[in-house]
Amino acid sequence: MSDIRDTLVLVLAGGVGSRLNVLVQTRAKPAVPFGGVYRIIDFALSNVMTSGLTQVGVLTQYKPLSLMKHIGTGEAWDFTGRTRGVKILPPRTGAKESDWYKGTADAVRQNLDFINAHPSQDVLMLSGDHIYQMDFAEMIRFHREKKADVTIAMMVVPESEIHQFGTGITDGSGRIIDWEEKPKKPRTNLASMGIYVFATDYLRRVLAENREEVDFGMHILPKAIGRDRVFAFPFHGYWRDVGTVQAYWEANMDVLREDTSISPEAWGIRPNIEAEGRRYDRPPARFLPGCTVRHAMFAAGCRIEGEVTDSLLSPGVWVKKGAKVTGSILFHDCVVEENAVVDLAILDKRVRVGKGAVVGSGPHKEVPNKLYPKHLYTGITVVGKGVEIPAKMVIGRNCVVEPFVQAEDFPSTFMETGATVAVREAGRR
Amino acid sequence: MKPKTVALILAGGRVDELNVLTYYRPKSAVPFGGVARVIDFPLSNLMQSGIERVAILSQYRSYSLINHIGIGAAWDMVGRHRGISILPPFTGFGHSDWYRGSADAIYQNLDFIRYHDPETVLVLSGDHIYSMDYRPLIDYHQAKGADLTMACLEVPREQAHRFGVAEIDDEDGSLGGRVLRYLEKPARPRFAWASLTVYCFKPEVLYQQLEVNAREDDSYEFGRNVLPRMMFERRRVYGYKFRGYWGYARTIEEYWQANMDCLGASPRVELASWPFRTNLEHGGVRDCQPAKIGSHALVKDSVIANGSVVDGQVEHSVLFPGVRVGKGAVVRDSILFYNTVVEPGARLDKVITDVEVRIGAEVQVGEPVPPAEQEATVVGSGNLIPAGRRIGAGCTLYPNLAPEKLARDLGPGEVAR
């Protein structure tokens, strides 16, 4: 039996995560900033590191640039060394076939050569999309004890959310005897977290069976259940799929809470601030005379002259005199000018809110966005990367301002609740 | 590729300065401004100036410094033609000894300079807080064909007795000029351009002067021995007039003030606009989450580093990574190093705590009076101050005190060791 540390890890980081709207227009979902200094994939990678695993492949497809830059050599997660490594595995052309990844199983199938080049008894597969802390070594031990072909990490979720997940029904020994993918009428509250341990030989075999089977949750697992040894590894703890704007906002706010069950630093989650590529380091957050701050987090390089409450600020955010930021998430190097207000909003990197402007105005938080009613319906307004909001502009609730929108792109100085603004001339940014 | 300039940083003398803060580390490794070590300033200046062949001369308690420098990657000094070498004292066939002074430290490492055979040797102190582009200084030095060019700062006449001071003629106006006279810590100075310990040497002159110094003198300092001899020999010694901020932290009060200079609406030390780098790897600072300010916290005029958690009141203070300030605690005019814990209800006024200090609940350190009216109390690393203790202003607590040393309150100015 080989050492658990030799288990090969595949991180599936190719998902678009389109419900995150403007946050994923310039980057893949795993690369979306989280908790001030992290990106979502840091949670998966750090869990791999703290579990003692050292061989990692990251399967990318959608807008991989910021992800690749972020992962770099993998040094931030201690993946550099003679026996350690992290490899980025994009789709590629080959002698026999070449295509985009058509699903999770297809992506792994196209990288069988990577698996063969790293002999290991088991393969651990993760998604790069989730906020959680987990000891994978414990899961692999469980998998081996059960002599399982596949082990799926599963947790209890509220009945109202179960329809978003793959669900499993287990017998007394933890073996999964029935499977339903995203059921309308659930028979169980046990949901798959998208974390699998496969016995490597078994994985090769099932992937060879039928090339039309491109997705683990839809095809491979339902077929395996009943036929092969598929077990549920129970997980009890904090785990969030931050796939929607609302869930993303809530998980960030969970980091803020004083009685929080999520503490990235205590969990050993490592960011990669070196990947910011700045010429110089940011000094600590500066709180100027006359500022008001309460229940908020501030990364290095922030400069606070105004009021900030119930908010999370990434490095380099500047909140000027008389400005007020409440219930919001501001990414790197945003500037909130004098007397501007930001309420219940997510501002992507380098957004500038002009003097006296208001982002998040009006009482009708329940009026959804007209263009994206399924993305924005709880009152949160999202502003894309590099947007310039002119002075005195008023933006309502559930609004979308697309990346790189400039002052002249706004049709008027008032954006009603549920509206969307995009760059007028295509190609300009 | 031959470097045009080789820089040597004097970073290792045991200076009887900064009290217990230099108990376990040289002054150049003392934390500053919530994020940095003092030596980050000359290193960042070198990086900004494109000088990439650097040696650090260190002998006193150098572990903290070595740890901080790492391989020099933080300052981009890793590469085929770049590097930071730490040069400790060593034994050899002939002369071998501890470094006996700043000049001797360079003298013992002349082979390092000769090996690189530069056009200019830049000798710096690792102990000062300033931002300076060395390129105009080196250009001036070259243009003048000087044997030595030293950067100087005009200080108030009444303070000049603490420095090596130069009289500089106005050969080149505000840029600099020939040094007419140089006096090391004169009792009644009549000129006030203080030397910053930033020296540009012509290599051959440096070699020759250090050899004479080693042979003929009985002390081995640039300020006391080498500069006076060069003046006496009428060498071409020039002064370069520097006009920026210069943090000269020789006393605890000066050190405290330099840190306070990071605060306010327009701080004298504004790191955000200085080209500044530190080694975030040191102490795991890069892995800290953003500073967390609680619902009942009150923060005024302070800098607070990543990894800190503030639930109490912090005013006019500097907090390094990993500091905890509990509910109802008050921290004013203070500097709290890495991982200091202030438990609920404690009150700190003008206190400097070294790393890993724990201040118990309801402890009071210093007096609740304006900072100008009292001296700072310095708490050495690793101390645990039991709940309810009173410690006066101007006290010194040596590192890692046994519990019985803190079994009673301390009056103003007491020293616990």
Side-chain angles (χ1 to χ4, degrees), chain B residues 375-386:
Chain B
E375 286 182 28
T377 283
V378 186
V379 182
S381 62
N383 277 316
L384 195 163
I385 300 181

Side-chain angles (χ1 to χ4, degrees), chain B residues 358-410:
Chain B
R358 180 176 282 269
I359 310 282
E362 307 294 333
V363 165
Q364 187 181 325
V365 188
E367 299 297 328
V369 298
E373 292 171 22
Q374 65 181 332
E375 286 182 28
T377 283
V378 186
V379 182
S381 62
N383 277 316
L384 195 163
I385 300 181
R389 194 65 62 242
R390 291 276 181 281
I391 292 173
C395 289
T396 300
L397 278 67
Y398 273 67
N400 301 311
L401 290 174
E404 62 268 22
K405 302 282 183 187
L406 293 167
R408 62 174 182 85
D409 293 350
L410 298 182

Side-chain angles (χ1 to χ4, degrees), chain B residues 170-236:
Chain B
D170 48 9
E171 192 172 318
D172 298 293
S174 63
L175 191 59
R178 185 92 186 234
V179 174
L180 304 175
R181 281 186 293 174
Y182 177 85
L183 292 169
E184 183 70 8
K185 296 180 184 147
R188 272 183 298 280
R190 276 172 300 169
F191 37 87
W193 281 95
S195 165
L196 304 183
T197 326
V198 174
Y199 305 124
C200 265
F201 277 101
K202 189 181 273 181
E204 303 74 45
V205 176
L206 178 69
Y207 305 154
Q208 185 261 337
Q209 288 293 326
L210 291 182
E211 274 164 24
V212 174
N213 172 248
R215 205 165 53 230
E216 297 185 3
D217 297 341
D218 48 15
S219 74
Y220 310 90
E221 302 292 342
F222 281 102
R224 194 186 309 156
N225 309 102
V226 178
L227 268 56
R229 174 175 283 114
M230 290 181 74
M231 292 305 297
F232 179 76
E233 291 178 359
R234 297 187 173 279
R235 294 279 186 168
R236 287 182 71 80

